[in-house]
Amino acid sequence: MAEELEIKLTLGKGGTDAARAWLDERASEETTQKRLVNRYFDTPYQALNHERAALRVRQADTHYIQTLKTQGEFVDGAHKRQEWEWPLPGADLNLGLLADTPIAENVNLAELAMIFETNFNREARLLSHEGAMIECALDHGAVLAGDRRRELAELELELKSGPGSALLSLASQLVGRVPAFLNLVSKAEQGYDLAGLGRPESLAAGDPPVTAWLRAVSVHWLTGMAETACRETLAALEDRAVDAGLEDEWHWASSQDFTSVDWLFDARMLRLQLGLLVH
């Protein structure tokens, strides 16, 4: 079992090309390119989803990896979660590998079946930044559930070594260069939503104020149904935004029309998100 710490940014129109150009300026390592086919599993009653866990088998060329991830927590806008990985000889799920994991007690493993896929091309590079090694993964493809499809365009920044603060510092360099916003909704949550098997909550008990707003905005991007949560959680951050020198960005975000999500990819949005996190 390992612990994963990463920031995920959803990219807007032209974002994939802009992110690639940004990486070209900074990365000294060669780009690794892979086609990743990811099959996600759950029971007919979404027992894994209720346990806040995600289970997949990933194919990269002729290699297969079975992965179990917990929901974990959000730390300064980054996903922090536990992760188990096992190499497989083929595409079939190996139930025996799950016997010693936390899900074994509450989930009938025999009922697991594939429910959706996330298939995408990944361009990955390693960057050295402020004493940290960070893997930058540019993903572009689609989430698939039956005959339904949702386009996927993301940039993931995953800490490999060094201080976690370097993730936000590196992400801040994207402001004004790449149309993107910090998104707390995972690929798995996008899949469950597309398959009609459940949506993430726009409010979660115990969230710090900034995380509460980030969560609400992310869920609104996915569902278009979290305007009230977005407005209420943003209103609670007015004093913090003023103290951080982000009053203009706060007023701009407060005035947006939530019938569209295009404004999420404005540079002012990412500046406000990251500024509130570091203040």
Side-chain angles (χ1 to χ4, degrees):
M1 188 269 290
E3 192 170 77
E4 179 184 60
L5 186 66
E6 69 177 15
I7 284 177
K8 184 168 68 67
L9 299 146
T10 292
L11 305 175
K13 185 177 181 180
T16 297
D17 289 339
R20 187 180 293 116
W22 178 80
L23 285 169
D24 285 341
E25 295 174 5
R26 288 160 177 79
S28 57
E29 301 284 339
E30 288 189 5
T31 300
T32 300
Q33 300 193 35
K34 294 181 180 179
R35 175 67 178 173
L36 301 179
V37 175
N38 306 277
R39 299 160 62 231
Y40 283 79
F41 296 81
D42 208 335
T43 70
Y45 304 102
Q46 295 88 57
L48 276 178
N49 196 26
H50 295 318
E51 291 290 317
R52 314 302 293 164
L55 176 66
R56 73 174 184 228
V57 171
R58 166 172 287 176
Q59 178 184 357
D61 298 323
T62 59
H63 301 285
Y64 297 85
I65 297 177
Q66 179 171 309
T67 302
L68 174 68
K69 292 187 180 186
T70 64
Q71 172 69 29
E73 59 183 334
F74 296 109
V75 179
D76 295 333
H79 294 261
K80 183 179 182 181
R81 53 199 170 195
Q82 293 178 324
E83 179 181 79
W84 292 259
E85 287 191 338
W86 306 272
L88 295 176
D92 294 334
L93 191 68
N94 186 330
L95 300 181
L97 297 173
L98 302 170
D100 295 327
T101 66
I103 67 168
E105 292 184 6
N106 300 320
V107 176
N108 184 346
L109 301 181
E111 293 184 336
L112 291 170
M114 193 188 81
I115 50 172
F116 58 84
E117 300 179 46
T118 65
N119 301 333
F120 49 89
N121 296 317
R122 167 164 288 181
E123 304 169 34
R125 311 185 193 190
L126 278 176
L127 289 182
S128 176
H129 182 71
E130 296 184 355
M133 291 302 298
I134 299 172
E135 183 183 65
C136 303
L138 180 59
D139 297 338
H140 44 101
V143 183
L144 305 169
D147 60 356
R148 285 165 284 187
R149 176 186 179 96
R150 184 185 185 100
E151 297 303 312
L152 185 152
E154 296 178 350
L155 178 64
E156 293 184 355
L157 309 178
E158 182 178 350
L159 185 71
K160 293 300 185 181
S161 65
S165 59
L167 287 175
L168 286 178
S169 173
L170 183 61
S172 69
Q173 296 185 10
L174 293 163
V175 175
R177 292 290 311 276
V178 179
F181 80 98
L182 196 156
N183 194 345
L184 302 193
V185 171
S186 68
K187 289 183 177 72
E189 287 173 321
Q190 294 178 51
Y192 277 102
D193 177 71
L194 187 67
L197 298 176
R199 289 177 165 175
E201 297 292 335
S202 58
L203 294 172
D207 271 351
V210 176
T211 300
W213 174 60
L214 295 176
R215 185 190 300 277
V217 166
S218 301
V219 172
H220 188 75
W221 165 81
L222 180 68
T223 68
M225 299 174 62
E227 177 178 353
T228 299
C230 289
R231 294 196 183 281
E232 290 179 352
T233 53
L234 181 59
L237 295 171
E238 181 177 7
D239 290 344
R240 184 169 182 150
V242 171
D243 291 343
L246 296 165
E247 185 174 4
D248 289 345
E249 286 83 357
W250 183 90
H251 281 292
W252 167 81
S254 300
S255 68
Q256 293 305 306
D257 178 2
F258 279 74
T259 59
S260 169
V261 296
D262 291 343
W263 61 277
L264 293 176
F265 302 100
D266 190 287
R268 287 169 287 190
M269 181 61 176
L270 186 56
R271 185 181 299 114
L272 180 60
Q273 288 183 303
L274 298 176
L276 290 172
L277 284 168
V278 300
H279 181 70

